Amino acid sequence: MTGNSNICYVKTVPDRCRVCYTCVRECPAKSIRINEGQAQVIPERCINCGNCVRVCSQGAKQIVTAIDAVEELLRGPDPVAACIAPSFPVEFMQDYEFRVLVGMIRKLGFKLVTEVAFGADLVAERYRRFIVQNKKGQWISSSCPAVVGFVERYHKDLTDKLVPIVSPMIAMARILHHIHGKEMKIVFIGPCVAKKAEARSNKVAGEVDEVLTFSELREMFEKNKVDPQSCEPSNFDPPRPALGAVFPMSSGILRAAGISEDLVTNDVVATAGIEDFVSALEEFASGNLDMVLLDLLCCSGCIMGPGITSRETILQRRTRLGHYVDYRLRGLDKGEWYTQMTRLAGLDLSRTFDPKIQTLEAPPTADIRKILERMGKFTPQDELNCGACGYATCREHAIAISRGLAETEMCLPYTIDELRQALKEVEASHARLQDAQEALMHSEKLASLGQLAAGIAHEVNNPLGVVLMYAHVLLDECPADSSMSADLQMIAEQADRCKTIVAGLLDFARQNRVVLQPVDIRDVVSQGLAATPVSEGISVVVQNELEDPTVEIDKDQIVQVVMNIASNAFAAMSDGGRLTIRIRQENGSVFLDFIDTGVGIAKENINKIFEPFFTTKQIGKGTGLGLAVVYGIVKMHRGDISVESNADALRGPTGTVFRIRLPRRGQNEDAA
Ligand code: ADP
Ligand code: MG
């Protein structure tokens, strides 16, 4: 097996990652990158502590399994030894006695089942000797592979401070190879992910063949239907341990080594846990610590390792381990243990370490500033340092973004702001869409009304002409003073009125032609006003904002528009008021705004006023054709007409505004 220092033994299950940033926050090596909505581990930065596996509530982070590789070893020709980590009682002794567990492991095909705790005994003894001989220096314990990985990557200068002694796992492999020969294959079974990486690290590669977690061992039992009832219980194979069994607890190494208080009074500092080991290393690097050995474990002791499936609390686990160690120590053959320790006293347990280039240059301040501004953080007060993104400060988050490890969306306050903004925009565009839809429905309705009107008008127009013609013929033949003549006069007059209505309908239906000619729009407005009788108490104001008043329109038709709208406005101001006509320009179009202070148009009517024959006036006073004709004429000019009105005095002054848009240069051929 060749060594490779950058293998990552944690994989992401893509569909399960909900991007909650918990793993980002909890990763001591900041080795998790958010990319395309997935939290991915960066192998070069990962120390394989497995903390992300433990903290991910969605099970999106999983440990890479070695089950297949181990099964292949077991099928192979060489004998395979299982080396069980000393934390095993925490995992298995809720379910069965240790002898049953040993029997079950043998059933899987392992030739030997041994306790790594004996390796720990030997390692502890070497530590004791090392400390005594190197009291002048300052050292960091090197039994925890995650701590070693962290030092190698992020405290390169401290790699020569790591105690140059192998971990109990490697020690046990060397012991078994020493006793049983090189062909003995070694499978370590424990609570740890980092052990998988340690087994393949350049400096100790080829000593341990495979590493299983306790949970993988459980899987193997299940897969191979290993039943505790049908297994023959047996003891572990020698060499059997003494106090090395307490190794997986914080400061266990010191207890196992019997490093007594009077030997190195206050000279040993022990700490365990993700945050504590990182800050302890920082303190160590700063040179502020006055001690000889800094004993560090990454998890809160190996009994809390990510490869353990137990749900017990740390205190329950400690008690469980304590009971086991106590039981085993009482039955320990001390003479035998001593013999083994002496026999192996000369075994080489040394190792070296392998600093890895991982230091990243700090990005320029200006870049960080820019990124912070992108997240809406312009002043130090804007930097909330809420930690929701997984980084302790906004600045650290910005640095991670500049290194491509994080995304701006991870900033919760920023994302909430963005969402609010987006929501507002969606609401606004929804409102605009609704308006447009209403306008469209309205104009469609008017268009189909127009078709109907045009149809009727055409059919009625000709017979009407005939009636009118014959009425005149008869009128000519009839003596002027006869009573018949008066009746014929009446027929002709009413038929004429019908003709006007039909002409109006044709206007509305846009069936007539417009003849566009350049005219002075001011003249058109005043002609229209002059032809509209106005009652007392009403004032009319015309405001012209056009520099060039020449507009291409059909003069007669626009005069009619002015007349119709003005007469409606006057009718709405029977108690007096003011009509303002503003002539203005906007984006190449001319606008005619008719603003009156009349009674206004009731809300329920505003959508109906352009329909032919809609009127609120008394019979005989209104035909309901005025605005229909206006609408038709404006459309024939390729213009638009809109209306705004308030008829509710409680809401403010009543009145109505008609806005007519006309293209400055008409398109004759289109309009025809
Ligand atoms: P008519 O004037 O024959 O009733 P119109 O098509 O000209 O027909 O007008 C339709 C209706 O629109 C009017 O009956 C009136 O209710 C309403 N209306 C039009 N213009 C105004 C206005 N300036 N103020 C108040 N109501 C108006
Ligand atoms: Mg009218």
Side-chain angles (χ1 to χ4, degrees), residues 300-320:
S300 301
C302 313
I303 53 172
M304 297 305 282
I308 293 178
T309 62
S310 165
R311 302 219 167 271
E312 287 187 319
T313 64
I314 186 164
L315 291 181
Q316 288 170 319
R317 294 180 194 204
R318 261 192 213 171
T319 314
R320 200 172 280 289

Side-chain angles (χ1 to χ4, degrees), residues 564 567-568 617 626-627:
N564 288 3
S567 77
N568 282 347
K617 291 170 189 159
L627 286 178

Side-chain angles (χ1 to χ4, degrees), residues 563-565 567-569 571 614-615 617 621-627:
M563 282 168 62
N564 288 3
I565 293 189
S567 77
N568 282 347
F614 174 81
T615 177
K617 291 170 189 159
K621 286 227 164 156
T623 58
L625 274 178
L627 286 178

Side-chain angles (χ1 to χ4, degrees), residues 150-223:
F150 193 87
V151 172
E152 285 176 334
R153 282 172 184 78
Y154 306 108
H155 288 286
K156 272 186 302 171
D157 302 345
L158 300 184
T159 37
D160 58 354
K161 301 287 181 190
L162 288 164
V163 176
I165 296 173
V166 296
S167 69
M169 172 181 84
I170 300 295
M172 200 60 200
R174 290 188 187 175
I175 291 164
L176 292 180
H177 282 144
H178 177 77
I179 299 173
H180 299 280
K182 279 285 172 200
E183 68 276 8
M184 177 66 73
K185 296 283 179 259
I186 309 289
V187 174
F188 173 87
I189 305 170
C192 183
V193 186
K195 285 284 177 204
K196 290 180 183 255
E198 182 189 357
R200 275 157 179 74
S201 96
N202 292 326
K203 301 293 178 179
V204 291
E207 314 213 27
V208 172
D209 295 275
E210 290 300 337
V211 172
L212 289 175
T213 61
F214 288 141
S215 93
E216 286 168 75
L217 179 60
R218 274 188 189 276
E219 250 181 79
M220 282 185 76
F221 286 153
E222 248 169 63
K223 200 174 155 194

Side-chain angles (χ1 to χ4, degrees), residues 277-298:
F277 98 77
V278 172
S279 57
L281 279 174
E282 258 156 42
E283 244 182 292
F284 188 99
S286 71
N288 290 335
L289 289 182
D290 178 22
M291 41 96 246
V292 180
L293 179 67
L294 179 61
D295 177 29
L296 297 179
L297 291 178
C298 173

